[in-house]
């Protein structure tokens, strides 16, 4: 149980250092994939940070930050159209709260980042990573699309680079991500990089951060206005039975859609 929030978590680890909250995605047996419980628990922590933190540090495992949707959950659950829409809404709203919350959100990224993991990264104000980190969007391989990710990613990289990541589906390096403005800084020792940034961010007052983030959101409300379109696009691809069959086959056999039985 987290001694600060008083809540017991299954998919995340939480610790506080004064007004800095460290939220670690922790599903080591599932490559830090996103399931409904993870979204729920992250949202609970982020809500707590609205009042009690001026910096939120989002982390993953040393070799895997986050690898996107939990296909096992999608395949095994009898998911109705309404259920998928609800999950997409919850995930989008989580990223929106990370992007617009009254704190500075910092992604400390190591290892592999795929699909929805890129959404977590792109939602953050500051993105720091180690040099061996790789980023990818693999959704189109299954007939899906990064519908909820794209508004956040486009805000960082622009349409052209977001489109390239989407259609190519292949990993890009930390240095490429830095050039494309998805990442703000990268070093071999990302822990030291994070430490230096936090030393500076500690000086910022909570009230100043909150006012600034509110003003920033007023200047650019793209994430809010894109919400309905993103959720509807997500619903469309996840209600396609052919796409769901590809996901189920991958879960069952480990084979990608283009591989023969």
């Amino acid at each position: 149980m987290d001694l600060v929030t008083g809540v017991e978590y299954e998919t995340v680890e939480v610790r506080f250092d004064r007004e800095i909250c460290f939220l670690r995605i922790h599903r080591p047996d599932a490559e830090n994939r996103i399931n409904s419980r993870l979204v729920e628990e992250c949202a609970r922590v982020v809500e707590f940070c609205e009042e009690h933190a001026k910096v939120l540090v989002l982390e993953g495992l040393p070799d895997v930050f986050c690898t996107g949707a939990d296909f096992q959950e999608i395949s095994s659950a009898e998911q109705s159209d309404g259920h998928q829409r609800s999950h997409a809404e919850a995930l989008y709203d989580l990223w929106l709260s990370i992007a617009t919350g009254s704190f500075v959100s910092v992604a400390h990224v190591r290892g592999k980042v795929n699909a929805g993991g890129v959404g977590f990264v792109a939602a953050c104000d500051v993105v720091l990573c180690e040099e061996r980190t790789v980023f990818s969007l693999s959704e189109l391989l299954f007939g899906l699309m990064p519908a909820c990710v794209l508004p956040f990613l486009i805000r960082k990289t622009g349409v052209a680079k977001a489109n390239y990541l989407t259609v190519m589906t292949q990993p890009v390096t930390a240095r490429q991500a830095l050039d494309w403005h998805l990442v703000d800084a990268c070093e071999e020792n990302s822990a030291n990089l994070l430490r230096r940034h936090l030393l500076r961010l500690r000086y910022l007052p909570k009230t100043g951060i909150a006012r600034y983030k509110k003003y920033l959101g007023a200047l650019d409300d793209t994430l809010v206005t894109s919400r309905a379109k993103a959720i509807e696009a997500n619903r469309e691809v996840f209600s396609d039975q052919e796409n769901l069959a590809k996901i189920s086959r991958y879960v069952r056999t480990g084979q990608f859609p283009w591989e023969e039985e």
Side-chain angles (χ1 to χ4, degrees):
M1 178 179 294
D2 176 57
L3 297 179
V4 177
T5 63
V7 176
E8 189 169 348
Y9 301 108
E10 291 182 6
T11 65
V12 300
E13 295 178 344
V14 183
R15 68 181 178 89
F16 270 78
D17 179 3
R18 286 173 285 182
E19 292 181 278
I20 299 178
C21 174
F22 294 83
L23 171 59
R24 183 186 301 276
I25 301 172
H26 191 259
R27 298 192 70 210
D29 296 333
E31 290 194 308
N32 271 9
R33 297 186 186 97
I34 303 167
N35 65 1
S36 299
R37 185 60 181 265
L38 174 64
V39 174
E40 177 187 333
E41 292 184 346
C42 285
R44 195 178 301 162
V45 176
V46 172
E47 182 180 7
F48 187 85
C49 288
E50 283 285 349
E51 293 294 329
H52 301 284
K54 59 185 183 182
V55 180
L56 169 66
V57 179
L58 182 63
E59 301 180 297
L61 301 171
D63 296 319
V64 178
F65 178 77
C66 176
T67 55
D70 189 336
F71 278 2
Q72 185 70 49
E73 180 181 69
I74 294 171
S75 179
S76 62
E78 291 294 329
Q79 295 207 32
S80 66
D81 206 33
H83 178 93
Q84 181 55 41
R85 185 179 181 87
S86 175
H87 177 73
E89 287 175 333
L91 183 57
Y92 193 97
D93 288 345
L94 169 60
W95 292 340
L96 186 60
S97 65
I98 292 172
T100 63
S102 60
F103 44 77
V104 178
S105 50
V106 179
H108 176 212
V109 189
R110 297 175 293 171
K112 183 179 179 181
V113 189
N114 183 50
V118 175
F120 272 107
V121 171
C124 289
D125 297 310
V126 178
V127 180
L128 312 174
C129 75
E130 64 180 13
E131 290 183 345
R132 67 189 183 94
T133 302
V134 293
F135 301 85
S136 59
L137 295 175
S138 62
E139 289 90 338
L140 270 181
L141 295 173
F142 291 86
L144 309 171
M145 70 174 93
C148 291
V149 174
L150 279 173
F152 297 88
L153 182 60
I154 289 171
R155 188 180 66 141
K156 289 278 191 180
T157 68
V159 174
K161 295 305 182 185
N163 178 61
Y164 183 85
L165 276 169
T166 300
V167 299
M168 293 308 299
T169 71
Q170 63 185 2
V172 299
T173 66
R175 287 295 169 182
Q176 285 176 290
L178 181 64
D179 290 342
W180 296 354
H181 305 297
L182 174 58
V183 170
D184 295 297
C186 73
E187 287 184 6
E188 182 178 354
N189 185 347
S190 62
N192 188 50
L193 183 64
L194 174 64
R195 181 187 63 81
R196 296 201 310 271
H197 277 73
L198 293 182
L199 284 174
R200 190 68 184 179
L201 289 172
R202 286 184 188 275
Y203 292 130
L204 301 182
K206 173 74 171 176
T207 52
I209 295 170
R211 286 175 181 144
Y212 164 67
K213 292 293 292 287
K214 182 178 180 181
Y215 174 61
L216 185 63
L219 288 177
D220 181 5
D221 64 352
T222 305
L223 297 179
V224 174
T225 59
S226 298
R227 181 181 183 274
K229 291 179 181 178
I231 292 167
E232 179 58 27
N234 182 279
R235 182 207 63 79
E236 180 181 358
V237 295
F238 278 100
S239 62
D240 187 316
Q241 292 304 309
E242 183 177 344
N243 290 344
L244 294 178
K246 292 175 184 177
I247 292 172
S248 295
R249 177 176 178 262
Y250 177 76
V251 169
R252 189 178 68 255
T253 67
Q255 292 177 307
F256 289 100
W258 63 87
E259 296 177 320
E260 296 182 3
E261 291 280 4

